[in-house]
Amino acid sequence: YFFRGSFRNDLPLFVFAFVSVLPFLMFRYILMRSVGAIGANQSLLYHRRVTLLDVILARNLLELGVVMAIVLAGTAVAIVYFGDWPENMFQFCVVLLMSALLANGAGLLLGAFSAVSRAAAAASRMLVLGIMITSGKYWLMQDMPAEFRDMLLWHPLVSINEALRDAYFGARLRSYFDLHYVAAWVLGVNLFGLLAVRAVRRYLRLG
């Protein structure tokens, strides 16, 4: 179920793969760069105006810029070479924004924990691998047995992947997602991320 059937649809393979990989790319770039972001820029923290939050957010925004450049380039290729426009550009942009915000919150958490724990830094690669496998990048929910769908939708990236494909391909796919659930995750993860960054400051030794 997880690997067969995804390309039975009348969709350009490049466009399908491009749209499917975008949420994972955001997580990979932002999470991996968040690890060690504080340690690598610790000298900046001697300046009173520079906070831990500034350091991590600057890194996250930098990586988001890289991903957005990939989005623009890939979308241009899809439009020019395949004549394949997003069916719902507004939804496409909103879902990308939600994906970026979710990755930002996860990056805040991981960045804070990795500043005080080597175990968190070491576990980051396994975390990214787990996200890649379970994110819905490799399958379509329409190919899943009905009894699996509700279980898989507990993972917010599954909804993001499905919503992004729905925005791009429209009625050519039968999509299953819950953006209200994703929005709750976005708020929760960012809130806990901000709290973690604030809490870790007292344990950080400068110099």
Side-chain angles (χ1 to χ4, degrees):
Y1 291 112
F2 289 94
F3 295 99
R4 77 183 182 193
S6 294
F7 300 113
R8 292 193 304 239
N9 304 281
D10 185 22
L11 303 174
L13 179 57
F14 169 83
V15 182
F16 179 86
F18 162 70
V19 173
S20 297
V21 81
L22 289 180
F24 171 70
L25 272 185
M26 282 194 181
F27 264 76
R28 182 182 180 277
Y29 276 85
I30 290 176
L31 288 188
M32 295 308 296
R33 292 300 183 181
S34 295
V35 175
I38 294 175
N41 297 278
Q42 214 166 17
S43 60
L44 295 175
L45 298 177
Y46 286 103
H47 302 279
R48 290 185 178 181
R49 293 185 178 181
V50 179
T51 66
L52 293 178
L53 183 60
D54 294 334
V55 169
I56 300 178
L57 284 181
R59 265 292 177 84
N60 290 355
L61 287 172
L62 180 63
E63 297 308 316
L64 178 60
V66 173
V67 176
M68 291 312 297
I70 295 172
V71 170
L72 292 173
T75 304
V77 170
I79 292 171
V80 173
Y81 288 96
F82 296 95
D84 211 330
W85 290 77
E87 296 281 345
N88 188 333
M89 182 62 78
F90 177 75
Q91 180 179 319
F92 187 70
C93 293
V94 167
V95 176
L96 281 176
L97 176 61
M98 295 179 78
S99 180
L101 290 173
L102 188 63
N104 178 72
L108 291 175
L109 280 170
L110 192 58
F113 290 143
S114 66
V116 294
S117 171
R118 292 184 178 181
S124 60
R125 292 187 181 277
M126 292 301 297
L127 176 63
V128 170
L129 178 61
I131 289 172
M132 179 185 71
I133 294 172
T134 60
S135 67
K137 173 185 173 183
Y138 294 113
W139 70 84
L140 295 170
M141 290 290 280
Q142 69 178 25
D143 294 323
M144 293 292 105
E147 60 270 21
F148 286 172
R149 288 181 192 139
D150 289 340
M151 179 181 67
L152 291 170
L153 283 173
W154 280 96
H155 194 323
L157 275 184
V158 173
S159 274
I160 286 176
N161 260 311
E162 287 284 300
L164 205 60
R165 292 173 184 143
D166 178 69
Y168 207 102
F169 301 115
R172 287 181 284 174
L173 291 177
R174 189 170 67 255
S175 302
Y176 300 84
F177 55 91
D178 185 350
L179 291 184
H180 292 97
Y181 177 70
V182 175
W185 265 88
V186 168
L187 291 174
V189 171
N190 278 276
L191 176 60
F192 282 112
L194 290 170
L195 292 174
V197 170
R198 183 175 181 180
V200 81
R201 182 67 175 86
R202 71 187 68 175
Y203 302 106
L204 196 63
R205 296 179 180 178
L206 301 178

